[in-house]
Every structure is written in C-alpha cells, then in structure tokens.
Amino acid sequence: MTQQGVRWTADQVLALAPDAASRKAGSKLGAAGPWSEAGSSDEGTVWGLCKGSGSKPYQTVIDIADASGPAYKCSCPSRKFPCKHALGLLLLWAGGAGAVPPAQRPPDWAEEWIKGRRQRADEKRTAGASGSSTASADPEAARRRAERRAMRVTAGATELEQRLADLLRGGLAGAEQAGYGMWEETAARMVDAQAPGLAARVRELGAIPASGPGWPVRLLEDCALLHLLDQGWLRRERLPGALGDTVRSRIGLPASADGPPIRDRWLVLAQYDTADTKLTTRRIWLHGSESGRTALLLSYGAAGRAPELALPVGLALEAEVSAYPGAGQLRAALGEQFAPPAPATLRPPGVTTTEATARYGEALRDDPWLDAVPVTLDRVVPTPDGDAWQLADADTDSALPLTPAARARPGFWRLVALSGGAPVKVFGECGHRGFTPLTAWSEGQGEAVQLC
C-alpha cells in the first residue's frame, strides 16, 4: 500500500475533529512553526514532534492506512481523539510533501507504536475468527438463549400494546398532562424486556406532546407505527423472511452481516454523528462505483467519545462490505480493505426530486418504519419558500422541502454559498419530513463539500 503523493484536503482532515474546539485548536497547529522531525512513509504513517508548553515536545504519530480510518497516538494528556496535535500534523501533511517529507523509516518511538498496533490488529482478527468458531460450537445453547430473549421481548411487546390501548382509550390529551415520566417508565420496561428498539421509539413518543402545533396528529402517527412494529413481532412467524429480519432489527435484536462480501471502490459520501446521554452513533454512507450500491456503516462510542471508525468525505477505498439481513436494509459491515482511503474525483449518479420521493415510497413497502432513504439529487438549486427552503429541480417544476433540522445547521449556508443560484449535485437523506443535505458538489470539478 502506498500513500505518498495522495494528499487529503483540509476539509477532510478537519472532518475528523471530535468538536469545534478541536477543529480551531488543530487549525492553529497546521503550520510548520511548532513541528520538528516530521516525516511520512510509503506504508501510510505520519509522525512529528510538536513544541508545547513544557520542555519536552509531544510525540505524535498517525496510521493513515488503518482499515477503519486514521489511528492516532500522541504523548499529550488530551482525552480527545484525534487530539489537536494529530489534527495539526495531518493538516501539515495535507499541505504538501515539503513540510512532511518522505522518510525511509520512522523514529523508534513511532515505529514501536506502529508495529504494536498492527500486531494487535492481526491478533484481534485471529481471535475474532476463533471466537466465531467457538460461538458456533454449541448451537443448542445459542438457541436456548435466543428463545429466552424472544420470550422476554414478547412479554414487553404485549405490555406495550396494553399501554398504547390505555393511552388511546383515555385520549391523547392525557399524554400532555402525564408528562415525560410516563414515557420514561415505559421505556425502562422495554429495556428490561431486552427490546432496545422499542425503548428508543417510546422515548421518541415522549418528546412529541406539547412540541408545537399539530402534536396530537404526530403522536397518533408514531403510536400507529409502534403498534405496527409490536404486531409484526407478535406475528413474526407469519411474515416473509426478509420482513421478519427487518422487524427483528427494528426491535433491537443483534444480527450479523451475513451477506456475501461485495468488493468495490467505495466513495465516502457522508459521515455524521448523533449522540444521547449514553452513546455516540456515527453514520457513514458509501457508494460503490462499480456495483452502484449504497451502504451504511454504523460505529459507536461511549458518550462524549468519538467512535473509532472514521472515513472523511471525498475519500475512496477499495474494500469488501457485507450486508446485514432485512428487507431493504442498507446497513453493512466493512470487511477486508485492499488499499488505504485516498482522495477521489468520483461522484454518484443523481436523480430528480420526483424520483427521490418515489424511491422513498418504494422503500416503505419493505420497511414501514424507515425515516429516510439515501438519495443523490442532480441539478438542484436551494430556493427560499416563504419562511422555509427547498431544493428545486433546475430542469423541472418540482422541488423537495428541506427538513427543519437541515435549515438549522451551519452547513446549510455552505450549500447556499456553493450554489450561488446555480445547480448543484447534493447527497442526503429523503424522508417524510423532507430532505436533509449531507454533501454537495458544484457542477465543475470541485471537491465534495461536507454539510453536516
């Protein structure tokens, strides 16, 4: 694997930052001034010494060729990953070979970490393969565990059905008077039933009452979808296999990526994080340049910590991905990687706004609980629509409204500025609330602009 001659952009580097403060601090260290003994190797590693407030400089080393995205090691006390020194070194490296010249071998302190990390990665893969064999050695025990959990989920779903019936019998106005505590207690019961998917949807219901005009309609709609999911589980034996897998996934039962590996050159379309009090979830959308498939990688980190998997937008990697089971499911697992991620000029094919909404409608037949589908819109223009905004087709009279959440993001104005009234290509998520733009390209040969 060779990394020399392949440089990331500053935006791709800064997309790795765990927060705005890290982006600002890392940008200040992206110049040659504080760095010494910086170098890079053909194997995809970058290292350097950064002058700090103490007498001893910080030792920073980065493995860019890691299969799950860049890996970092720095002697600074920061608990953020990547720290500002790693971001600064990557920015320095992205600026050209002059500041971070190629070297035959890294210094001892960097080489020790690189070898140790790659050795541990090999051991982990070996242990994973061994663990899979061990897990399948006692299928009867696994079957009994699955049956016990299914019984608990069934008891939880039955209880939830009764609670939904009580809510509707008493009237939706009672939901506003009861407050959020009622919903949290119900969600806790679903956690006890080992149905985290049901618990998450119950918590979403709790946020709807008194959320603004029309909340009773929204609450009734979401109650209906939750009821449908409950009934899907309670009657799962009657469902087609793929739809049954989707119900199990929505309930929150674990599954393995058992689809056949698909080798392709995968373009990183978007990467963004969502967080709650317990977990940070990272979503990475990929587009296969040869297969034309779209795949979703999910990675998780404890609250306040970024997940390990990091693939900046605009890079492409030759790798295998395997799909998870379920009708219409796009989630996949990243498998063997054959080359490190590198900048690419690839762009996904686009559709019209009318075709985008039709695609979402078709996807709902396979997964009625689907909030949105990934779509690339071709030749659209951000246009104000009263107090709201929409993406209007440049060549037709159709348009898609932007979601309220999209309009509240700083990236929205980057999209407006990139367009300047001219058509752009936009990748995002299209659903019943509208369209959420995540990445955009101008009609020229410009690089991908991250909007999330």
Side-chain angles (χ1 to χ4, degrees):
M1 294 184 298
T2 178
Q3 192 73 17
Q4 292 299 333
V6 180
R7 303 281 167 173
W8 296 4
T9 66
D11 282 346
Q12 289 166 343
V13 172
L14 293 176
L16 300 170
D19 51 41
S22 297
R23 281 193 293 272
K24 183 177 180 180
S27 297
K28 294 180 179 179
L29 294 175
W35 293 96
S36 61
E37 301 182 27
S40 60
S41 75
D42 287 337
E43 295 183 349
T45 55
V46 183
W47 60 86
L49 301 176
C50 186
K51 180 177 175 55
S53 56
S55 58
K56 189 175 181 180
Y58 296 122
Q59 298 175 337
T60 307
V61 56
I62 305 165
D63 186 358
I64 302 169
D66 189 88
S68 60
Y72 321 93
K73 172 67 175 178
C74 185
S75 59
C76 76
S78 174
R79 299 180 65 181
K80 296 180 180 181
F81 295 94
C83 67
K84 63 180 181 181
H85 306 101
L87 289 171
L89 181 57
L90 277 177
L91 286 171
L92 190 67
W93 167 79
V100 185
Q104 292 185 350
R105 62 182 296 270
D108 292 342
W109 56 268
E111 187 172 30
E112 180 181 359
W113 176 79
I114 295 166
K115 287 184 176 179
R117 176 176 178 80
R118 293 180 177 175
Q119 181 179 350
R120 289 190 296 272
D122 291 339
E123 292 172 351
K124 185 177 180 179
R125 282 193 291 269
T126 302
S130 175
S132 299
S133 301
T134 303
S136 61
D138 192 355
E140 180 60 26
R143 185 189 63 80
R144 289 195 298 267
R145 287 194 299 270
E147 286 183 350
R148 288 194 296 269
R149 180 166 186 176
M151 291 176 61
R152 286 192 286 268
V153 173
T154 297
T158 303
E159 178 182 347
L160 183 55
E161 283 291 277
Q162 184 60 53
R163 294 194 178 209
L164 289 175
D166 291 343
L167 170 66
L168 297 178
R169 188 178 300 112
L172 296 182
E176 185 176 16
Q177 299 168 0
Y180 188 76
M182 174 190 71
W183 301 102
E184 184 56 39
E185 190 269 337
T186 303
R189 295 286 295 166
M190 296 304 104
V191 172
D192 293 341
Q194 292 188 289
L198 293 180
R201 288 184 172 270
V202 168
R203 290 192 174 99
E204 291 174 359
L205 289 181
I208 296 177
S211 62
W215 71 261
V217 174
R218 295 193 296 274
L219 180 60
L220 186 60
E221 290 173 346
D222 281 20
C223 283
L225 284 173
L226 185 54
H227 167 69
L228 182 64
L229 183 56
D230 271 342
Q231 291 299 314
W233 172 261
L234 295 174
R235 292 169 170 78
R236 59 192 179 279
E237 294 84 2
R238 307 180 192 178
L239 299 178
L243 182 57
D245 288 336
T246 298
V247 168
R248 293 181 182 88
S249 173
R250 293 296 183 184
I251 289 286
L253 299 187
S256 300
D258 57 2
I262 300 174
R263 180 170 176 172
D264 206 336
R265 191 173 184 222
W266 298 94
L267 172 66
V268 183
L269 292 175
Q271 173 180 291
Y272 68 95
D273 296 347
T274 56
D276 56 29
T277 57
K278 296 182 179 180
L279 196 67
T280 298
T281 302
R282 174 165 292 165
R283 290 170 172 82
I284 300 177
W285 285 109
L286 303 178
H287 169 74
S289 60
E290 296 181 8
S291 65
R293 296 175 64 109
T294 302
L296 174 64
L297 306 181
L298 294 181
S299 181
Y300 302 95
R305 293 183 68 98
E308 288 189 5
L309 183 62
L311 296 172
V313 173
L315 299 189
L317 63 157
E318 187 176 352
E320 292 180 341
V321 301
S322 299
Y324 280 79
Q329 298 297 296
L330 297 177
R331 186 186 175 188
L334 183 62
E336 184 177 358
Q337 184 176 344
F338 304 98
T345 58
L346 299 173
R347 294 189 181 188
V351 299
T352 66
T353 56
T354 300
E355 291 169 330
T357 53
R359 186 172 294 183
Y360 177 56
E362 293 168 0
L364 287 176
R365 293 183 301 185
D366 293 328
D367 184 355
W369 307 277
L370 191 63
D371 287 329
V373 293
V375 174
T376 301
L377 299 177
D378 210 7
R379 290 183 53 78
V380 291
V381 181
T383 308
D385 180 24
D387 294 333
W389 281 75
Q390 61 185 4
L391 293 179
D393 273 316
D395 305 315
T396 70
D397 58 356
S398 61
L400 267 177
L402 293 182
T403 60
R407 299 195 303 268
R409 293 175 176 174
F412 164 70
W413 295 109
R414 297 186 72 183
L415 173 61
V416 174
L418 178 69
S419 167
V424 291
K425 182 188 287 282
V426 184
F427 170 79
E429 296 170 350
C430 178
H432 61 93
R433 295 183 180 90
F435 187 85
T436 301
L438 301 174
T439 307
W441 299 262
S442 65
E443 286 213 307
Q445 298 298 317
E447 299 164 342
V449 176
Q450 188 168 353
L451 307 174
C452 53

